[in-house]
Amino acid sequence: MAAPLSVEVEFGGGAELLFDGVKKHQVTLPGQKEPWDIRNLLVWIKKNLLKERPELFMQGDSVRPGILVLINDADWELLGELDYQLQDQDSVLFISTLHGHQMGS
Amino acid sequence: MPAPQCASCHKARAALRRPCSGQALCGTCFCAAFEAEVLHTVVAGRLLPGAVVAVGASGGKDSTVLAHVLRELAPRLGISLQLVAVDEGIGGYRDAALAAVRRQAARWELPLTVVAYEDLFGGWTMDAVARSTAGSGRSRSCCTFCGVLRRRALEEGARLVGATHVVTGHNADDMAETVLMNFLRGDAGRLARGGGLGSPGEGGALPRCRPLQLASQKEVVLYAHFRRLDYFSEECVYAPEAFRGHARHLLKLLEAARPSAVLDLVHSAERLALAPAARPPPPGACSRCGALASRALCQACALLDGLDRGRPRLAIGKGRRGRDEGGTPREPGRVRTPVPEAVPTF
């Protein structure tokens, strides 16, 4: 049983374009039976925030490779990735690294 | 589970794990390590005191981080910096990016020079090239043109400002993608020359250095985040169709399975030696502009030639590059590059 949570969800590096250009979202996640881990947060984001082209943000039940996830300014790799249990007032930042161009080989 | 402690200062919580070593570092120690690595790379690239360094600036994450770090290091290295931005003539994309570069130049108080394809290459903008090459192949070939022409344009801009060196923001991912692309295209010439990652000052060109080449793309993005650097992050309108996208996609999958794969690919390429029979003949000089060329015309002149003759694919693909055809073109595709004093012998 997970209590309702207040978290800040932020998008950068171009990812914000999939969310109407809005970078910071103050989000209240409702109380529910399942825990609020990143896996469930992504489901919630896809359903409630994502405006277009979900395949550019998600792949399967995770983010598309090339999208960095920082939880309270730390790489999610150090915190258990999808299994990290969200706490009240946590900040989750998604930065896209997939854009731009190269200067030729 | 809580994040581990920083392996360097043992005081703060770690913010990331470096892909090359697996070492967990806090934001502060990571930025210090990142900057130390850039310093090491530019010293190895012989950016000595007195050097005038042209920095390829696109407004994107890599060149923003590059310019920021070099600006911090410049006093210590005794070098001066010149920002050079290339205007390829891509409507809607490049204008916004150039606006970002201008803001950065003002904020950093660095001189900025903008060079445009339209001026350098006989009126050809990338939008015009894209129209000319549309429908002439499976994947978009205008990006191939852009890569070659941008390199030349940057060289021109660097000469204009009296630079002694050119630096670009290529990161380890870019280098690894280039290696994959050269393998996938069977480009023996580039693979023979250190995997296609270039060597300093070929064919009279200015020496080049890539200060971020040991940093993975992820690290560049994280550095920009920790240092709160602002950059332009929209995708070039033509990029989705570029061949490099395939190499990048493969690299991302490889990296997810094995984080050190990116740097390992770069190191493999550096150590590559081709079998004697596969080695191409040493390159000579372009008959039009004098730049390094493995055929009669360098790639830039050959591509422009093809565009002017209405045969844009003339210089792309094996076996038909740069070959002169009967009849004179209306306006020969000529790159206005100063001819170097002597043709280099190899």
Side-chain angles (χ1 to χ4, degrees), chain B residues 270-308:
Chain B
E270 284 170 347
R271 295 182 184 110
L272 200 65
L274 291 191
R279 272 182 231 140
C286 174
S287 57
R288 278 214 192 128
C289 72
L292 189 77
S294 18
R295 292 165 193 84
L297 291 179
C298 71
Q299 221 182 350
C301 285
L303 289 175
L304 289 168
D305 207 41
L307 282 172
D308 287 333

Side-chain angles (χ1 to χ4, degrees), chain A residues 5-12 23-27 29 36-39 41-42 45 49 57 63 67-76 79 81 84-87 89-95, chain B residues 225:
Chain A
L5 291 177
S6 184
V7 296
E8 184 184 69
V9 176
E10 205 181 333
F11 302 98
K23 286 190 174 182
K24 288 202 191 196
H25 304 248
Q26 205 58 45
V27 161
L29 302 171
W36 278 115
D37 54 17
I38 301 292
R39 188 178 281 105
L41 174 67
L42 286 176
I45 288 174
L49 288 182
F57 184 67
V63 287
I67 297 198
L68 307 187
V69 186
L70 295 183
I71 304 168
N72 302 326
D73 252 11
D75 190 344
W76 73 337
L79 298 169
E81 296 194 10
Y84 171 80
Q85 303 290 312
L86 283 168
Q87 321 251 316
Q89 304 305 316
D90 270 351
S91 175
V92 184
L93 167 61
F94 298 93
I95 314 179
Chain B
H225 170 73

Side-chain angles (χ1 to χ4, degrees), chain B:
Chain B
M1 74 207 196
Q5 258 210 339
C6 175
S8 178
C9 66
H10 306 290
K11 284 191 284 210
R13 232 175 17 117
L16 72 153
R17 204 179 284 283
R18 297 213 68 190
C20 49
S21 58
Q23 200 189 24
L25 296 176
C26 69
T28 312
C29 293
F30 162 67
C31 287
F34 186 94
E35 287 156 5
E37 231 164 50
V38 172
L39 177 60
H40 167 87
T41 308
V42 301
V43 167
R46 303 186 61 71
L47 257 55
L48 304 170
V52 177
V53 180
V55 181
S58 66
K61 60 186 182 352
D62 300 308
S63 59
T64 299
V65 166
L66 174 66
H68 170 88
V69 177
L70 284 183
R71 189 169 164 272
E72 305 270 302
L73 295 175
R76 182 163 20 163
L77 291 168
I79 62 175
S80 66
L81 301 177
Q82 290 273 348
L83 295 179
V84 178
V86 175
D87 180 1
E88 309 97 335
I90 300 175
Y93 166 72
R94 187 40 76 194
D95 327 285
L98 280 178
V101 180
R102 291 198 169 95
R103 279 196 301 272
Q104 288 174 343
R107 195 182 317 134
W108 290 326
E109 294 171 322
L110 287 176
L112 168 65
T113 304
V114 180
V115 283
Y117 279 11
E118 201 170 16
D119 300 325
L120 290 173
F121 305 131
W124 282 103
T125 62
M126 268 321 294
D127 284 338
V129 173
R131 281 192 295 272
S132 183
T133 57
S136 54
R138 272 184 300 269
S139 68
R140 174 83 74 170
S141 54
C142 66
C143 300
T144 306
F145 283 80
C146 200
V148 172
L149 296 179
R150 190 185 306 111
R151 190 185 171 94
R152 182 59 60 86
L154 185 56
E155 183 82 20
E156 279 301 297
R159 286 189 193 281
L160 267 174
V161 300
T164 55
H165 295 75
V166 177
V167 300
T168 51
H170 291 88
N171 56 50
D173 288 51
D174 299 328
M175 314 284 273
E177 287 163 15
T178 298
V179 172
L180 286 176
M181 285 167 72
N182 288 333
F183 270 109
L184 291 168
R185 293 191 294 215
D187 195 325
R190 287 201 173 95
L191 287 170
R193 295 200 297 276
L197 304 178
S199 42
E202 287 182 322
L206 290 171
R208 292 200 174 220
C209 172
R210 300 175 181 97
L212 304 183
Q213 68 184 13
L214 296 178
S216 71
Q217 178 156 259
K218 177 173 168 172
E219 292 181 302
V220 173
V221 173
L222 287 174
Y223 181 87
H225 170 73
F226 289 123
R227 288 287 191 236
R228 306 279 181 258
L229 300 177
D230 222 359
Y231 55 85
F232 180 73
S233 56
E234 278 179 38
E235 191 172 52
C236 174
V237 295
Y238 299 116
E241 296 160 75
F243 179 59
R244 184 173 285 266
H246 297 286
R248 187 181 300 179
H249 180 68
L250 176 59
L251 192 67
K252 286 292 120 194
L253 294 173
L254 292 169
E255 188 186 26
R258 193 164 176 276
S260 64
V262 176
L263 270 176
D264 291 342
L265 253 178
V266 178
H267 290 317
S268 298
E270 284 170 347
R271 295 182 184 110
L272 200 65
L274 291 191
R279 272 182 231 140
C286 174
S287 57
R288 278 214 192 128
C289 72
L292 189 77
S294 18
R295 292 165 193 84
L297 291 179
C298 71
Q299 221 182 350
C301 285
L303 289 175
L304 289 168
D305 207 41
L307 282 172
D308 287 333
R309 293 169 195 250
R311 293 281 314 279
R313 291 189 71 73
L314 196 67
I316 299 178
K318 287 166 160 314
R320 291 202 296 145
R321 287 195 210 198
R323 209 169 281 164
D324 285 333
E325 298 181 344
T328 11
R330 281 181 296 114
E331 285 162 349
R334 189 190 195 285
V335 180
R336 291 187 289 115
T337 307
V339 178
E341 302 287 348
V343 172
T345 52
F346 291 88

